[in-house]
Amino acid sequence: MGHLSTEYTGFPADVIPLQYQALLLTDERRMQAFADAIAQAVQPGMRVLDLGAGTGVLSYFAARAGGVVTAIECEPRVFATARSALRAATGDTVRILHADARDYLPDEPIDLVLCEMLHVGLLRERQVEVIGAFKRRYLHHMGGPLPRFLPEATVQAVQPVEQDFTYMGYTVPAPVFQLPESRQPRTVEAAPPQVFQQFFYSSPLPSRCGADLLFVAERPAVVNAVRLITKNLLTLTYDPAGSVDWTMNYLVVPVNEPVEVLPGDEVRVRFDYAPGDEIPVLTDSLRISVPAHAH
């Protein structure tokens, strides 16, 4: 009689296995934003490094714009798929290496680094860790200046909400992802969002993602969750001045102790976690309260 294997066959949070890559490729908002940003940022002959290349689609966009591209991917099946797809699409234009983005160092200076190891809230994936380590290695071995990064910056906001977690009479307070452009009939916005973090990847990177903010309730609500909003400035544009942006799917996270608010009440939202932490680290630190003087 056979037996069940107890060997762990999962993936670390920062590795997206092949069966999930199509979810990224079919996300039209994400794909169009990166295609537009890379077309703006990459000039013919520019040396481009794609850290954590996945299926290689960002490398493809960069090669299409005339970049000389090196792509780095560590997951074996994803690497093999990317190599095949890039060869079919670009010939030998893109150099793809089976290596770890966390410790790869190029042989020569780079003009632009692509890195999309992003999760809403900067949770789970390793964008900050990978870029921070790359910057330290690059400056040590190459000196300055640093290359340009794409995304160039991240802005994060949070919002107190009342979320309907009941499904056909069955209540499950579990994290929920939402499309930014869609109506959310299950969500009551108790107050407008506030920014709690913003930084450029070329500048010092954050070691924590934390907030201690006061909101003023605009309507009656039982605040039982917060909504995280992560907007990435993929590239700045100069003519006209602006940026190509990508707002990720919102993340609604339940709180352990909901609070009831009335219009005009102050609502205090507090949390603290490190970039790359799992979602439960955020939920465990999340506190919602109504200061005593609010009523």
Side-chain angles (χ1 to χ4, degrees), residues 18 21 24-25 30-31 38 48 50-64 69-73 77-87 89-90 94-96 114:
L18 186 59
Q21 292 287 339
L24 305 178
L25 296 171
R30 171 185 178 273
M31 292 284 279
I38 290 170
V48 179
D50 187 358
L51 293 175
T55 58
V57 66
L58 303 189
S59 293
Y60 164 69
F61 292 152
R64 189 172 65 178
V69 185
T70 299
I72 306 300
E73 175 56 42
R77 287 187 177 85
V78 177
F79 166 76
T81 301
R83 180 175 57 185
S84 176
L86 284 168
R87 283 180 178 170
T90 69
V94 176
R95 175 179 176 234
I96 181 165
L114 306 175

Side-chain angles (χ1 to χ4, degrees), residues 97-110:
L97 301 177
H98 187 209
D100 194 328
R102 300 182 201 220
D103 54 29
Y104 177 77
L105 183 69
D107 298 326
E108 59 182 3
I110 296 295

